[in-house]
Structure formats: C-alpha cells, structure tokens
Amino acid sequence: MIDDIARIEADAAPRIAAAASLDELRALAAELLGKRSALSSLKSGLGPLDPDARREAGTAINRARDVLQAAVNARRAELEAEARREQLAAERLDLTEVTDATGAGHLHLVTQAMERLEDVFVGMGFTVAEGPEVETDWHNFGALNFPPDHPARDMYDTLYVEFGAPGSTLLRTHTSPVQVRVMTSQPPPIYMVMPGRVYRQDTPDATHMPVFHQIEGLVIDRDITFADLAGTLDTFTKAFFGGDFTSRLRPSYFPFTEPSAEYDIRRPDGSWLELGGCGMVHPNVLTACGIDPEEWQGFAFGFGLDRLGASAHGVDDLRDLFTNDVRFLSQF
Ligand code: FA5
C-alpha cells in the first residue's frame, strides 16, 4: 500500500504543476483529493490491516494528501497571479498615446499668458500665491482702504453672494484681496505674484468681460521706492513682450495705493494699451494687515491678463477668447 501511495503522489505532482487554468486545477483537485479519489479509497480499505500497518499506511495517506494539497495551493496562487497580470495588461490605458495629433488640445491663450507671466516673475525672484474667488467685503474692500460707502467702491460693479450678512460676501472684483491674505499670513519681506479669476458686473465688449483674469504683484521690504516699481515694470515689459516694447506710468487713483498710476505698454506700431494699475502700498493697508508702515514700504500692481494675452497675439476683441470656437482658439 505504501508503494501505491507513493505512486499516486508521484503521478499527481506533475499533473498539478501542468494545470493550465483555475478550472482545470479545480477539477484535478477534486479528482486527487475528493471523496472518490484514489487516496480516499485507499483510506477506506485500511480496516482489514493489522494496527501497525494501518497506522503506517494512514500516516502515509495523510502526508500524501498534505503534499498534494500544498501543490494545488501553490499552483492556484501562480494561476491567480497570472490571471491578474493578464487582466491588468488588458485594461491598461496608454495615456501618452495620441492617435490623432490634430485632435490634441492645448492650453487656452489666457492660461498660456498666465503661465508665461508667472515664469517671467519667478525669474525675477518672485514666488506665486493664490486666494479664494469668493471673498469677504473686508479682504476685497475694507482692508484695502475703501471705507464703507466710499465712492471708490463704485469703480467696481460688484457681484454679491447670498451668504452671511447682506453685502458681507462677494465674488472678488480684483486680485488685490490676495495681497491682504499674503500680508496677514506672513511677515515681510514679500516678493509675490498672485494670478486668478475675477468678476464684475461689466457688459461684455471688445475690452471688457464680466469674468476675466488678473495678476497681482506685491513687494514689501525696507527702503522700497517708486523707482523700484517703475524699474520692475519696465524690466517685466521687455522680458514678456520683447525689447521693442516700452512702458509708461500715468497718474491715477486707487484707495489702496498712494501715489497710484496706470501702467501702459507701447507696442511696436506706436499704439498704447492700458494693462493695469499700480502704486506704492498705502500706509493704511499696511496697518490693516498688521505691518508697521514706519518700518516697511512696498509697491503693488494688477494687470488684466485677458487684455495682455489678446494684445500679445493681435486679438482685438476679448469676446472671441471665450466663445470657445476651436477653429479660432487653435491658432494660438
Ligand atoms: C484694479 O483692479 C486694481 N486692483 C489694480 C491695482 C493693483 C492697482 C495693485 C494698484 C495696485 P482696474 O480696475 O483698473 O484695477 O483693473 C486692472 C486691469 O484689469 C485693467 O487695466 C484691465 O487691464 C483689466 N480689466 C478691468 N476690467 C476688465 C474687464 N471687465 N474685462 C477685462 N479686463 C478688465
């Protein structure tokens, strides 16, 4: 009987190893280890043997069962791993595959302008920060030296959000509230640019959109003067637009800067384009943000990104940027 057991085990081992699928293995396991298997019938034939021979044969049958069961388990693990590998290979998506190059999109002109601007300013030593589009009245106006009911608030046709006390929450009308968030969260010196989307109740026309983009710049350090502001903007103009562009500053008014100016660029054809406002940060703004104006000074600027991107590509109507006509957008 011991020989029979050894033969059953020797015959079974290669069949288990050769099982090609989980189904085949399951059938083979039933055949080799189930109730009607050769090992089971040997076991039921142990009765007539004398006790010693019965114990010896019983032990050998159990050992053979354990060996075969272990072989079945090992083969099952192999087949399951193989099946998983095959499934993963079949479901794999090649995200880099471009089957139709003409169908591939690219970044929107305004996003391209935003990224290039960030690059130019990062190259000049600035870091980039962002802030929320839904703002408090304090961040958008109060801390920026717009007292309640001040006529300067009329410069911005504000869209309010129904949240909290009436008039307390709004869609930011400019990126200047991010200045406030930066100044209230970190000590000077500060050299930062802050790009983002802004909202005003403006009627769309060639140079206005109700939703548009700005990039804010803020420098706070010791001994900063208006000459630093003018020099930074001129360096930026040449780095972004090229050496054949120049810039100028015209006196203007913003409650949060004093003195204030408009920043215009002069295009190679001699025409001027207003890109944004700028000025020396008003001492009231520094104080509202917990910065001592006796010790620190700074300048800030805010550019309209849509106008900037459009003018860099000779687009003369901002509305064309947002009608999402792919034939138009694919040119840039
Ligand atoms: C401001 O928004 C100030 N926060 C800028 C500033 C920042 C001044 C820091 C001083 C210091 P203004 O309202 O002028 O300023 O807007 C800035 C620029 O945004 C404009 O020059 C223009 O390029 C752009 N802009 C304004 N309104 C629109 C609009 N409706 N659609 C597209 N671009 C606009």
Side-chain angles (χ1 to χ4, degrees):
M1 184 177 284
I2 298 294
D3 287 348
D4 287 347
I5 296 168
R7 189 179 37 76
I8 290 171
E9 191 183 321
D11 287 351
R15 293 181 65 201
I16 294 172
S21 69
L22 285 165
D23 281 345
E24 197 181 321
L25 183 68
R26 211 170 292 119
L28 191 58
E31 179 194 326
L32 297 171
L33 298 161
K35 281 203 190 79
R36 279 194 285 276
S37 65
L39 284 178
S40 293
S41 53
L42 282 181
K43 202 166 189 176
S44 31
L46 291 179
L49 297 182
D50 66 63
D52 281 349
R54 196 187 313 146
R55 195 176 317 108
E56 190 191 354
T59 309
I61 290 171
N62 286 342
R63 202 198 51 79
R65 283 187 64 86
D66 289 349
V67 168
L68 294 185
Q69 185 65 59
V72 166
N73 291 348
R75 183 63 189 145
R76 185 184 302 120
E78 277 172 20
L79 288 170
E80 281 172 354
E82 224 164 82
R84 255 196 315 277
R85 270 198 302 278
E86 272 166 22
Q87 188 186 1
L88 282 177
E91 290 175 0
R92 183 168 159 265
L93 292 178
D94 182 356
L95 299 179
T96 62
E97 187 180 30
V98 178
T99 48
D100 173 9
T102 56
H106 63 74
L107 294 179
H108 189 273
L109 187 153
V110 173
T111 312
Q112 291 178 33
M114 190 182 290
E115 293 195 348
R116 270 197 61 212
L117 274 158
E118 287 177 20
D119 283 352
V120 170
F121 280 109
V122 167
M124 290 165 73
F126 287 68
T127 52
V128 180
E130 285 184 346
E133 292 175 20
V134 179
E135 262 299 4
T136 66
D137 176 83
W138 187 79
H139 286 91
N140 196 82
F141 290 128
L144 290 168
N145 199 31
F146 291 81
D149 304 322
H150 190 279
R153 288 187 178 222
D154 299 341
M155 287 158 61
Y156 305 98
D157 283 316
T158 309
L159 289 153
Y160 287 91
V161 175
E162 279 186 21
F163 182 81
S168 64
T169 312
L170 45 81
L171 295 178
R172 65 180 178 192
T173 58
H174 51 173
T175 41
S176 300
V178 193
Q179 283 187 36
V180 177
R181 291 192 174 269
V182 166
M183 285 190 276
T184 50
S185 63
Q186 68 179 77
I190 296 167
Y191 289 80
M192 280 200 167
V193 284
M194 299 148 253
R197 192 180 291 132
V198 301
Y199 304 81
R200 290 183 198 174
Q201 266 185 56
D202 282 344
T203 306
D205 65 22
T207 53
H208 293 83
M209 292 297 293
V211 181
F212 60 103
H213 304 79
Q214 292 186 336
I215 189 165
E216 192 85 7
L218 177 69
V219 168
I220 306 285
D221 207 337
R222 293 192 170 87
D223 304 322
I224 296 288
T225 69
F226 201 89
D228 296 311
L229 167 59
T232 302
L233 291 184
D234 208 50
T235 308
F236 160 76
T237 307
K238 299 212 164 9
F240 186 82
F241 292 101
D244 44 355
F245 282 71
T246 52
S247 63
R248 74 176 174 197
L249 297 175
R250 280 181 292 123
S252 185
Y253 171 76
F254 297 100
F256 38 96
T257 45
E258 180 59 37
S260 304
E262 297 289 347
Y263 160 71
D264 303 334
I265 55 164
R266 185 174 186 273
R267 297 179 276 214
D269 67 3
S271 61
W272 291 93
L273 179 75
E274 177 202 305
L275 280 189
C278 61
M280 302 306 290
V281 179
H282 197 291
N284 289 354
V285 175
L286 293 173
T287 306
C289 296
I291 294 176
D292 180 0
E294 297 297 326
E295 191 183 349
W296 303 97
Q297 304 76 45
F299 63 78
F301 52 84
F303 303 159
L305 274 171
D306 316 77
R307 289 188 191 175
L308 197 144
S311 71
H313 290 282
V315 174
D316 50 20
D317 193 325
L318 287 189
R319 289 168 295 192
D320 290 336
L321 297 180
F322 301 103
T323 45
N324 289 339
D325 183 334
V326 173
R327 290 164 304 177
F328 175 79
L329 291 176
S330 62
Q331 303 174 86
F332 311 108

